[in-house]
Amino acid sequence: MGTGGGAPSSSSASSGWSGFWSSALRSKRLVSPAEKAAAESNGRGLSRRLGVLDLVLLGIGASIGAGIFVVTGTVARDAGPGVTISFILAGASCVVNALCYAELASRFPAVVGGAYLYTYTAFNEITAFLVFAQLMLDYHIGAASIARSLASYVVSILELFPVLKDNIPDWIGHGQNIGEVLSINVLAPILLILLTLILCWGVGESSAVNAFMTVTKIVIVIVVVLVGAFEVDVSNWSPFAPNGIKSIFTGATVVFFAYVGFDAVANSAEESKRPQRDLPIGIIGSLLVCIALYIGVCLVITGMVPYMYLGEDAPLAEAFTSKGLKFVSVLISIGAIAGLTTTLLVGLYVQSRLYLGLGRDGLLPSIFARVNSKRHTPIHSQVWVGYVASVLAGLLNVTMLSHILSVGTLTGYSVVSACVVVLRWKDRTNSQLSISAKQEGVICLVAIAACGFATGLLFRYDASPIFMILAILVAVGASAALLIRQAYSDTPGFSCPGVPLLPCLCIFFNIFLFAQLHHEAWVRFVVLSLVMVGVYAIYGQYHADPNAADTIMYHRAPEDEAQ
């Protein structure tokens, strides 16, 4: 009796487990150019209104916030004038990541989704869902944190007027803490609601707002650099690396995150006029402009004031005030408001497009897949991300969560680099890649990531260089195996150079940086992954359809149709 009763239960469990894995391991089909062209001929969906300049400004708007006026001086206190090299090294690393994004953006020019979409196609459904979850938590907390900073800056500007100075309660803009978790801020949700309304209005209108604010920000940075150049004392640049080379490399790991944002351009694929050509230009062009602006600010701030005298909270503004140029400090505050506004605007935009992609694929409820027929924007997704950010920004002290951020960014960058390698694989006879060959390649990619994490831990805790060299050698061996034992196809459109070595370098360095994060960030990565596997098991596996996007309808802008 006992044996007979247990058999059906065991069979059912086995069937459920088998069904879970068959769903989790399915992947999205790579749509052919002909199918993309057919989809483009339909007349519903998102509107293609973004030109190459819009995309460049979108990337700059996402990358450069108030941090350009703060993080440059903060890192310079440790790295000295060598902070310029820190920004160059971090910028070079981001350029390599940007090349990977540019190839995939060119290869998937017709569909929204970014890193999630690339992972779904190159790997499988469950991995793509986990990448989305890690990215989205970063975006939600980041948006709330930026909104609170923006509210604080706005109040600071208002307090320049004598009638308002010291008369604005903390709960309006600076935040009124109630215990360690709750913190009331009224202005932050209001700003989020305004930006959400702009984004719901239409991509053309929101792009115009972003362009105006980004140009304002760029002009202010250029003015700050030009005015500061006349106050530079070159003797302040010596010694160039007062705390040694390691402080410069450590600084590079910190300022790497100042460049984060160029990947936002990849999520505008469905709204770009000529995505296959313009997306790579937008991604790489915006990053190069950001690198130039950061280097200019670094040279000015370390030349104006000896690095050891730089302030902690507002080093650039204090440097100009010490030279009797208080008007520049006001300009910096205005630039910070413009920078935070564009960063927040683009962040909300990207979130809604990611939700749109998952809604279409069935991994989230279908309401997220709806696109307004008049505005051609995903209003339901946009309102949702605005609502989540408003609740977090209005009620919680989100700065407490800042040390668990950047996990999603580094995860996304690493997986995108791996996607470039995987999607280039083919066997020696040009037929479909064999299962064993793909498994071998994936093992090599995982080995590179593991070596990057090990090297990062060893660097962080000042271990013997011998162990770091060993980890690096293993990573080099895995990269060599990928180069020798796999064949790589050419891609239409933009191609990342040096595949697989350049993407492998990206994976190694991104995971190296992952090891530098607070240990609570590692816990967050594991816990969130386990929770989202549960969500997928309960909902996602039963509703997802990898081929859903094959029937997506696209809308071409009127001016494009006439061409």
Side-chain angles (χ1 to χ4, degrees), residues 147-148 150-156 158 168 170-175 184-194 393-394:
R148 290 179 73 97
L150 178 58
S152 182
Y153 267 102
V154 170
V155 168
S156 297
L158 293 175
I168 301 178
D170 285 344
W171 55 266
I172 289 182
H174 292 303
I184 306 302
N185 190 314
V186 174
L187 184 55
I190 292 173
L191 295 172
L192 282 162
I193 291 169
L194 290 174

Side-chain angles (χ1 to χ4, degrees), residues 69 215-225 331-332 334-336 338:
F69 305 116
V215 169
T216 300
K217 172 174 58 179
I218 293 172
V219 169
I220 289 175
V221 173
I222 291 173
V223 169
V224 166
V225 170
L331 271 182
I332 289 172
I334 296 172

Side-chain angles (χ1 to χ4, degrees), residues 14 60 86 156 202 359 370 469 492 499 527 531 534 560:
S14 176
I60 298 171
S86 296
S156 297
R370 297 179 188 173
I469 292 171
V499 175
V527 171
V531 169
D560 271 2

Side-chain angles (χ1 to χ4, degrees), residues 133-382:
Q134 297 293 345
L135 284 170
M136 201 48 60
L137 185 59
D138 270 15
Y139 279 130
H140 283 319
I141 297 174
S145 180
I146 293 168
R148 290 179 73 97
S149 297
L150 178 58
S152 182
Y153 267 102
V154 170
V155 168
S156 297
I157 288 290
L158 293 175
E159 287 178 337
L160 292 176
F161 298 97
V163 68
L164 295 175
K165 187 172 178 62
D166 298 326
N167 290 325
I168 301 178
D170 285 344
W171 55 266
I172 289 182
H174 292 303
Q176 179 71 54
N177 292 337
I178 304 175
E180 293 185 359
V181 178
L182 290 178
S183 179
I184 306 302
N185 190 314
V186 174
L187 184 55
I190 292 173
L191 295 172
L192 282 162
I193 291 169
L194 290 174
L195 292 178
T196 299
L197 290 174
I198 291 172
L199 288 163
C200 290
W201 190 11
V203 68
E205 291 76 8
S206 58
S207 176
V209 172
N210 176 69
F212 172 75
M213 300 295 279
T214 301
V215 169
T216 300
K217 172 174 58 179
I218 293 172
V219 169
I220 289 175
V221 173
I222 291 173
V223 169
V224 166
V225 170
L226 291 177
V227 172
F230 291 99
E231 302 293 334
V232 167
D233 180 356
V234 293
S235 65
N236 289 331
W237 289 337
S238 180
F240 192 73
N243 296 317
I245 298 297
K246 184 176 179 180
S247 66
I248 292 178
F249 282 103
T250 302
T253 65
V254 175
V255 304
F256 174 88
F257 301 103
Y259 292 111
V260 167
F262 61 85
D263 51 303
V265 179
N267 288 281
S268 61
E270 223 173 287
E271 290 156 298
S272 170
K273 293 178 182 177
R274 291 170 292 274
Q276 197 156 19
R277 187 202 73 172
D278 291 351
L279 289 176
I281 296 173
I283 292 169
I284 297 172
S286 61
L287 181 56
L288 293 177
V289 171
C290 292
I291 292 173
L293 293 176
Y294 273 119
I295 290 173
V297 172
C298 285
L299 290 173
V300 164
I301 194 172
T302 54
M304 287 179 63
V305 179
Y307 75 93
M308 70 284 292
Y309 298 132
L310 289 171
E312 291 186 13
D313 297 326
L316 193 61
E318 291 173 18
F320 278 98
T321 302
S322 69
K323 297 290 184 179
L325 300 169
K326 193 169 183 179
F327 78 95
V328 180
S329 300
V330 177
L331 271 182
I332 289 172
S333 295
I334 296 172
I337 289 176
L340 288 168
T341 302
T342 58
T343 303
L344 187 55
L345 184 74
V346 176
L348 294 172
Y349 166 83
V350 170
Q351 290 177 60
S352 68
R353 271 55 182 177
L354 282 170
Y355 273 105
L356 173 63
L358 270 85
R360 285 173 171 172
D361 292 332
L363 286 165
L364 290 177
S366 60
I367 190 171
F368 291 110
R370 297 179 188 173
V371 175
N372 183 272
S373 58
K374 183 179 179 181
R375 294 295 176 187
H376 301 290
T377 56
I379 289 180
H380 295 87
S381 295
Q382 199 67 72

